[in-house]
Amino acid sequence: MLIVMQHGAAPEEVARVVETIEEMGYQARPMPGAQRTAIGLVGNDGRVDATRLAALTGVKEIIHVTQPYKQVSREWKPESTVVEVAGGVRVGGAEITVIAGPCAVESEQQILETARLVRDHGATLLRGGAFKPRTSPYAFQGLGKKGLKLLALAREETGLPVVTEALDADGVDLVAEYADVIQIGARNMQNFPLLRRAGQSGKPVLLKRGIAATITELLLSAEYILAEDNQNVILCERGIRGFDPSTRNVFDLSAIPVVKELSHLPIVADPSHGTGRRSKVVPMARAAVAAGADGLIIEVHPQPDRALSDGEQSLFPAQFIEMMREIVAVAEAIGRKVAEPSPAPVR
Ligand code: PEP
Ligand code: MN
């Protein structure tokens, strides 16, 4: 529920609403805004009797949020959220942010070479897994802490902030020491203790849609992070399980406009995992930008044939360069722009 205050309501009136919410046994989330001050009521499971609140002075209206998720909904916050990452990089708003890099960090040479390449051609965030969720226990599991250190080195060399995955709640603190954005992978979208810990880390979180998750489930998982008082969540459409092996997943393009209508959070598209086939990544990247995605997350490798994970869907450098050229044109056609490197990179 949202309690919207009259324009120019006095701070004491706002404080009285907060106090009353707390007396009723719930938590209050004041949201001062340019247009209006609203106070969110959280901690309820079901409809709240608002008569006491509606009677307080300065209260303009009470909005009952109709969705099962609250703080992530557009009813709660009509303006789109722009997530501020380190070094002036932003996700959301008018610009389209490109996150690129290998599936996994494999070596110093591989991550530095990829980081330089993607930076030189317009990516503003570097991706790379140090802890990899693999279907087989015998597959390459990532370099772990060494991988995090290599990401930090690549950030120092290129100025690109880094996105990397935390696999479990206990791993969040270590990942947060190195990462600028903590990724929560598709297989972990409903790992609720992990969501809470990532929320508590204070770092922006990139939350990927589960392989068989509905959009409502994705938004409820994001709600776990916002419920920890962390608004910096970037949603990610990465394809859902289908029946046709022609592609690895079914890239759900329509999830982009659906999420944008339901939520104020930015959403990026991952056509690499979405299709699982290198030749399909660029067409779906163009489509995702056209559909309104706030960014792309793309796997690129200097030698995809030698990649230790997800080589079949990793772009060759030349393909990445061509993709960047094409999405600049698509963005322009819909009145948006691909974000340019920040003047104050993180080092
Ligand atoms: C990844 O980004 O490399 C990854 C493992 O993604 P997902 O969780 O979407 O499969
Ligand atoms: Mn991958």
Side-chain angles (χ1 to χ4, degrees), residues 36-121:
R36 60 168 196 188
T37 287
I39 300 136
L41 180 153
V42 290
N44 60 309
D45 185 14
R47 207 174 163 93
V48 171
D49 179 5
T51 22
R52 243 182 104 184
L53 294 163
L56 295 174
T57 55
V59 172
K60 178 165 171 250
E61 66 173 323
I62 306 277
I63 300 176
H64 289 278
V65 178
T66 52
Q67 306 290 355
Y69 40 84
K70 308 292 172 200
Q71 300 184 57
V72 310
S73 73
R74 274 218 192 261
E75 287 170 293
W76 187 276
K77 178 172 179 271
E79 331 71 69
S80 296
T81 289
V82 178
V83 173
E84 307 266 352
V85 181
V89 173
R90 304 165 123 221
V91 184
E95 298 193 338
I96 292 153
T97 306
V98 178
I99 307 165
C103 177
V105 181
E106 298 170 1
S107 67
E108 178 174 329
Q109 144 91 18
Q110 174 247 20
I111 192 67
L112 289 182
E113 187 179 339
T114 316
R116 289 190 188 111
L117 165 89
V118 301
R119 180 208 48 199
D120 290 350
H121 294 92

Side-chain angles (χ1 to χ4, degrees), residues 102-104 127 132-134 183 208 248 270 272-273 299 309-311 313-314:
C103 177
R127 63 147 293 147
K132 294 304 302 175
R134 303 307 301 278
Q183 176 171 322
K208 301 188 92 177
R248 181 179 177 185
D270 175 351
S272 304
H273 293 87
E299 288 184 343
S309 68
D310 285 349
Q313 67 193 36
S314 299

